[in-house]
Amino acid sequence: MQEPSEFHDLSDDSDYAAASQHQASASIMRSDSIKSGVSEPSGSEVIFYKDNVTIHPKQYTSERISGRLRLIKHASDLILTWVPYKPSEIGVDCFGRSDPEASDKDRNLYAIKTSLNDVRSVRRHTPPLGWQYIIVVLSSGLAYPPLYFYSGGIREFITTLKQHVFIIRSSEDPNVFLVNDFQDPLQKSLSSLQLPGFASFKSASFKNSVVSVENSDSDQANGSVHKSSSSEHSLRPTNKNRQGDLSMQVLEKFSLVTRFARETTSSLFKENHGNQYPYDKFLEKQKSAVHNDEGKHEEELTSQDSSSVASDVLEFDRLPLIWGKQRESPLSVEEWTAFLDNDGRVVDSKALRKRVFYGGVEPELRKEVWKFLLGFYEYHSTYAEREFLFYEKEHEYQTVKKQWQSISSTQAKRFTKFRERKGLIDKDVVRTDRSIPYYEGDENRNVVILRDILLTYSFYNFDLGYCQGMSDLLSPILHVMEDESSAFWCFVALMERLGPNFNRDQSGMHSQLLALSKLVELLDGPLHNYLKQADCLNYFFCFRWILIQFKREFDFDEIMRLWEVLWTHYLSEHFHLYICVAILKRYRKKIIDERMDFDTLLKFINELSGRINLEQSLRDAEALCAIGGENAAALIPPGTPPSLPIETDAGLYMLDDEIL
């Protein structure tokens, strides 16, 4: 984050001033009014208390862990804790829904306890759609998972921080609140005096330790999270066994975030045991980049830090040679059979997804395996259950199809929406993949089936209907399934995740483009800085990549290999965004050297079609996903496509032909 040259106090915000005046009626509770059933150490006072604050593991909206957020004042220290509810405390949330079942171990994995000494900033997110949440960023540059306030309370939380901690709002981003950022020597001196009413929260250079909350029950029950040291040297292994020590230190840092990111990193360390990358050095430089916004304040850095951007460029370019795993041969029939038990159930879905992620699927197996990857078949279903489902869905498909087939020409004259959609579909299918043998030639029956499926889907999901680009997503599925009903239901499953790409207000696309912008800022600072100067941070030049999942960028066989990798969701649900970063990073030098503006960049990106190395891009994206870790995961809010959406009632829009 760039160090702003000017700061504003929170008192300039009328909302926060009003919150202070009405604090007595808000959900901020003193210790004498709290009935949480958890005793606090002597001399402690709970100054903020909020229930139903939630973390979303793995970024699935249906998977959440709710808990209690508190601010505890202990002597001159202020401690932030988030404790997940015990199974006996789990009820229903403010919408009458209960949290999914999870073991105590799983819940305690996300417990938070940290001193405000170690907090760098609090970022408030207030999206127009979805729920408000905060992200707490530590002095080390690492961040806790987003904390969602389903029943409100963010305003009161920030107000309480203001009353007990030196907190200022960045003039560059009004939603970022910097904690203990003492620019004024007088403020620093007042803090060091520990005056009453002003807690002593020194900057990282003071290296003061955390005052522990002596609550053994809470610590044991919630797997007390280790404090992240504010010293950069704490990330460097000192043991002679650097590989093992490095792994442990990185995994400890990753314990602050989702189990998904931690499992990913752990497996990569094991699989690349003989290929050591100076990860501590990268994290050290990454912290410097986050805190100093890629060298915009070079006068405050040492000579070593001032050259970190150039060094990072070289080290990032080396990542695929060290981290990116070599692609394997496709999943064979023999291997597929070994994944099934006698009744046809997949015995280890995670291992299967991992195998497909690294090798893909033999073409003759795609017809069956894709149904699992897309969610048409459940991994635990049996042969008999799948056979029954096939015939049941075939009947349901024909029922929906008859709805538009039964429309007479007279009725169609009075059905404008039907005529418009049918006309758009008829125009699109005759120009979709016609160079592929499966669709080439005049009066091709498969082109007719493609049209019928899209028309049927426009009736099945009448709110979404049909938008340009959907034929591109359906074409490979029909080519693989060679069955109209199966292709339809696989397409339905895919659109459950990609449907928001076609929202009229473009909210699904904007959320992904925003996440892409944040990922580039984290993973490739020099490129981000250039795009910022060129006023290209909207990333609309990547619109086509994301909208139809690179369909126009690779040949037909390659796109099938890419899609089955993406559908595994093995490393991330949003692996396609890391591929975007990987491709942009590969061409960063050309983009910067030629000083491309938006129009030139858009033309250049479109001309990359057919020239991108898929295998290299997958390896680059894998390396970036591992390096980004918890920082990258925290930049992608739950519900961002292709995650299952939080909101499904957004409007729809038609895409212009020029976009594609």
Side-chain angles (χ1 to χ4, degrees), residues 36-52:
S36 63
V38 179
S39 61
E40 302 300 335
S42 175
S44 296
E45 180 184 13
V46 177
I47 61 174
F48 179 86
Y49 171 87
K50 190 66 182 177
D51 274 312
N52 201 33

Side-chain angles (χ1 to χ4, degrees), residues 484-501:
E484 187 172 345
S485 173
S486 297
F488 172 81
W489 291 113
C490 286
F491 180 68
V492 167
L494 178 63
M495 292 304 294
E496 286 296 306
R497 294 183 174 274
L498 298 185
N501 284 9

Side-chain angles (χ1 to χ4, degrees), residues 250-293:
V250 174
L251 292 175
E252 284 176 1
K253 298 300 177 185
F254 276 31
S255 68
L256 299 176
V257 296
T258 64
R259 185 188 336 140
F260 180 77
R262 188 179 56 258
E263 288 176 350
T264 300
T265 308
S266 178
S267 63
L268 284 170
F269 271 119
K270 293 177 181 177
E271 294 168 3
N272 296 277
H273 181 78
N275 297 325
Q276 182 181 342
Y277 175 76
Y279 195 78
D280 54 333
K281 183 177 180 182
F282 168 77
L283 284 178
E284 188 175 63
K285 291 180 178 179
Q286 186 186 58
K287 289 194 307 175
S288 175
V290 171
H291 290 171
N292 298 283
D293 198 20

Side-chain angles (χ1 to χ4, degrees), residues 132-156:
Q132 297 186 2
Y133 61 96
I134 63 171
I135 295 178
V136 178
V137 181
L138 301 178
S139 299
S140 63
L142 302 176
Y144 287 111
L147 294 168
Y148 283 78
F149 287 65
Y150 277 120
S151 55
I154 290 182
R155 183 173 60 182
E156 293 84 356

Side-chain angles (χ1 to χ4, degrees), residues 533-568:
Q533 295 171 6
D535 196 22
C536 296
L537 287 184
N538 57 24
Y539 281 81
F540 280 171
F541 49 86
C542 296
F543 195 95
R544 187 175 73 182
W545 287 1
I546 295 175
L547 179 71
I548 52 177
Q549 303 284 281
F550 303 97
K551 176 61 161 48
R552 304 280 178 88
E553 319 315 316
F554 299 98
D555 65 34
F556 201 77
D557 289 334
E558 285 183 322
I559 204 63
M560 289 189 287
R561 296 209 310 272
L562 171 60
W563 283 5
E564 59 198 13
V565 168
L566 297 179
W567 295 342
T568 64

Side-chain angles (χ1 to χ4, degrees), residues 65 82-90 100-111 218-224 259:
I65 299 177
W82 179 84
V83 181
Y85 294 136
K86 297 178 182 178
S88 59
E89 297 178 293
I90 299 175
E101 294 183 2
S103 66
D104 289 344
K105 180 179 179 182
D106 289 341
R107 293 181 176 277
N108 296 336
L109 211 56
Y110 302 96
S218 177
D219 290 349
Q220 293 176 4
N222 299 297
S224 172
R259 185 188 336 140

Side-chain angles (χ1 to χ4, degrees), residues 566-586:
L566 297 179
W567 295 342
T568 64
H569 300 151
Y570 175 65
L571 290 184
S572 171
E573 280 190 299
H574 305 94
F575 194 68
H576 68 300
L577 297 181
Y578 291 93
I579 294 177
C580 292
V581 179
I583 297 173
L584 291 174
K585 200 177 82 66
R586 278 285 162 186

Side-chain angles (χ1 to χ4, degrees), residues 26 32 58 74 97 128 218 220 254 276 295 345 349 385 408 422 426 477 498 593 642:
D32 57 352
K58 302 185 182 180
H74 182 74
R97 301 173 302 199
S218 177
Q220 293 176 4
F254 276 31
Q276 182 181 342
R345 300 182 185 87
S349 61
E385 290 169 341
S408 65
K422 185 176 183 299
D426 287 341
I477 295 176
L498 298 185
D593 288 351

